[in-house]
Amino acid sequence: MALGPAGPVREGGDSCPGALRLHTADDGRLARLRLPAGLLTYRQAVALASAAERLGDGHLDITSRGNVQLRGLGAACGDELAALLRQAGLLPSERHERVRNIVASPLSGLDGHGELPADSLQLWARELDGLLCASEPATALSGRFLFALDDGRGDVVALGADVTLLARRDGTAMVRTGANRAGLLVPAADAPRAALLAAETFLTVAEAGGSGAWRVRELPPGHGLDEAVAARLADAGITAEYAAGIAVPAAPPAAGAEPPAPGLIRSPDGTVALSVYAPLGRLSAAQWRLLMTAGGEAAGGELRVTPWRGVIVPGLEPAAADDLLDRFRTAGLITDRHSPWYGVGACTGRPGCAKALADVRADAAGALRPAPTAGHGGALPVYWSGCARRCGHPQGAHVDVVATAGTGYVVSVRDIVPADTASTADAVATAGAAHAASAADAVGTAMDAAPQSATTATGPELADAVAAARRPPVTR
């Protein structure tokens, strides 16, 4: 991306991978399959397991948007993969398959929190997906453009989406573009249509400004998107008013605003849901089949993949829940907060990514420390990146571990707000860097360099630095 007189200007095309446009990596081809709201039927889950085993490396990676990636695909498997996904109903529109980026509150209707009746958020997601797939202008959206549907609890509103729908108790929904805190209030029944119109308006504004922006935050100052969206909604007959005086904090304190904790979740209807996490976001086909079999047997065949690299299995009978949770734990899944894997994430790293400077997954595993309050419930999440691009890094406060050109990592505490603006926290440890200046260069300009304090650390010292940084003196 270059800088023009009015702001960033995209110079290249969008190369974001999809289910049909495969990305070439060092470990084979990569396919990224969009799962709107993370919803999967049993039949669709079976298809993904089959694709991973027959065509890929036997694993499924969960992304930070609740999508699924298949890796290690052969060069000639594209047609077979497309046919398998099409038959399972996972490709409703091949022209739109990369723009179906919709995250949603994964526990909506399951735990009694939120401002929508049960199943309403899933109806929003299905309606928005249908509208997207029927929209000709929407084919021009970038594969990075993101919709977030929040049932009012405030969990996905902080994920930095381009268009967010936030349900409200009074029967309205707030439509927000980018980090706009005010937004527009529309009737809840019109919310999915309003979200699509906001996205189409973004395309018009981006084209008129000549920036080639892919995300709302890339628009130059004074873009006028909010006013343009309000006018577009009025033209479409949707009643909308500015949400003056209604603040939406970056990390809403509403009940259920945190990502789903691993373990058992009791539902108002007497059933339970199980929340599990994939270590480093990666599941073997056998682990995936265990999850889908549990859901298929007892939950009408539904799984919910979360943007925190977890899976929700809803609708279980309480008598069967404890046994299933034990089976999940035995299979290597994260089922409680005390797991040392909870809150630990990583990019692909070596050998799968040519740009990576280290085997971050192996290094993350080697640096694990027991953490009774690990993850979102206490200590900060930690994310390991093989280079300064930080692919898949989380939003919000987290420990940022970035490989350097040497043999070590820069370890710092970051607080990323929804607009992806980084600020440096007070606590920092630097591992494996000869000089503070070279460490700062490795981190890059996307996030400001850590304070100028550096130590050389390898092995156990790196692990200790990461463990210490997970409990920094940060105001959250």
Side-chain angles (χ1 to χ4, degrees):
M1 183 191 298
L3 289 177
V9 177
R10 289 281 184 183
E11 297 176 321
D14 181 7
S15 60
C16 196
L20 302 178
R21 178 191 289 180
L22 305 186
H23 171 73
T24 300
D26 275 14
D27 58 351
R29 299 292 183 91
L30 176 153
R32 182 178 299 159
L33 181 65
R34 271 66 175 183
L35 306 178
L39 300 175
L40 274 174
T41 66
Y42 176 75
R43 177 167 165 254
Q44 291 170 337
V46 168
L48 291 181
S50 178
E53 291 174 321
R54 286 168 42 195
L55 306 174
D57 64 3
H59 291 80
L60 300 98
D61 292 347
I62 300 176
T63 77
S64 59
R65 293 181 167 193
N67 296 320
V68 166
Q69 289 186 167
L70 303 174
R71 300 190 68 98
L73 298 168
C77 76
D79 290 343
E80 186 177 356
L81 175 63
L84 190 156
L85 299 176
R86 195 179 297 114
Q87 187 176 15
L90 288 166
L91 288 177
S93 171
E94 297 186 5
R95 298 184 65 223
H96 295 80
E97 63 97 3
R98 294 190 312 126
V99 305
R100 300 168 68 223
N101 290 305
I102 304 172
V103 296
S105 302
L107 292 182
S108 187
L110 298 180
D111 63 352
H113 296 307
E115 306 296 347
L116 287 172
D119 299 329
S120 294
L121 195 72
Q122 289 72 45
L123 293 176
W124 269 10
R126 292 187 175 97
E127 182 179 350
L128 176 56
D129 187 32
L131 291 169
L132 265 176
C133 291
S135 167
E136 180 62 29
T139 61
L141 289 171
S142 163
R144 294 167 171 78
F145 194 92
L146 180 64
F147 296 88
L149 311 185
D150 195 303
D151 70 355
R153 72 183 63 218
D155 56 350
V156 300
V157 77
L159 293 183
D162 297 281
V163 175
T164 300
L165 296 182
L166 178 64
R168 289 170 43 80
R169 187 170 302 179
D170 61 5
T172 65
M174 185 184 295
V175 183
R176 300 173 62 225
T177 54
N180 177 9
R181 295 276 187 261
L184 294 162
L185 298 181
V186 302
D190 292 325
R193 188 160 62 104
L196 174 68
L197 292 173
E200 292 179 345
T201 304
F202 158 78
L203 290 171
T204 302
V205 170
E207 182 179 8
S211 68
W214 292 344
R215 307 290 307 274
V216 169
R217 65 172 179 261
E218 296 173 1
L219 290 173
H223 50 69
L225 177 59
D226 299 331
E227 295 79 7
V229 170
R232 181 73 183 275
L233 295 182
D235 289 343
I238 296 177
T239 302
E241 58 181 273
Y242 285 100
I246 302 176
V248 181
E258 290 290 327
L264 187 148
I265 299 159
R266 298 193 180 277
S267 299
D269 64 1
T271 64
V272 298
L274 296 183
S275 170
V276 299
Y277 283 76
L280 299 183
R282 189 163 172 82
L283 293 167
S284 68
Q287 291 171 322
W288 182 264
R289 286 189 182 278
L290 178 60
L291 291 173
M292 75 186 195
T293 300
E297 289 174 344
E302 179 181 281
L303 295 178
R304 299 185 184 182
V305 182
T306 82
W308 297 278
R309 295 182 169 90
V311 179
I312 307 294
V313 185
L316 300 169
E317 292 298 326
D322 288 336
D323 178 63
L324 280 172
L325 208 57
D326 285 339
R327 290 169 62 190
F328 294 163
R329 183 182 303 112
T330 300
L333 300 173
I334 302 169
T335 60
D336 62 66
R337 292 181 184 270
H338 300 304
S339 168
W341 287 105
Y342 183 51
V344 180
C347 71
T348 297
R350 290 181 177 171
C353 177
K355 291 184 172 61
L357 301 174
D359 184 347
V360 293
R361 292 178 182 270
D363 291 340
L368 283 181
R369 291 288 186 269
T373 58
H376 305 290
L380 291 175
V382 57
Y383 194 79
W384 294 70
S385 300
C387 71
R389 295 185 306 159
R390 296 176 174 81
C391 295
H393 73 78
Q395 299 289 332
H398 67 278
V399 178
D400 183 52
V401 186
V402 183
T404 70
T407 59
Y409 290 84
V410 176
V411 182
S412 60
V413 177
R414 305 290 173 177
D415 189 1
I416 313 300
V417 299
D420 280 355
T421 300
S423 63
T424 303
D426 295 331
V428 62
T430 302
H435 304 285
S438 61
D441 289 341
V443 173
T445 58
M447 301 168 77
D448 292 336
Q452 296 297 308
S453 62
T455 59
T456 300
T458 58
E461 294 177 355
L462 171 60
D464 291 343
V466 173
R470 296 191 71 181
R471 294 171 177 79
V474 178
T475 302
R476 299 181 63 189

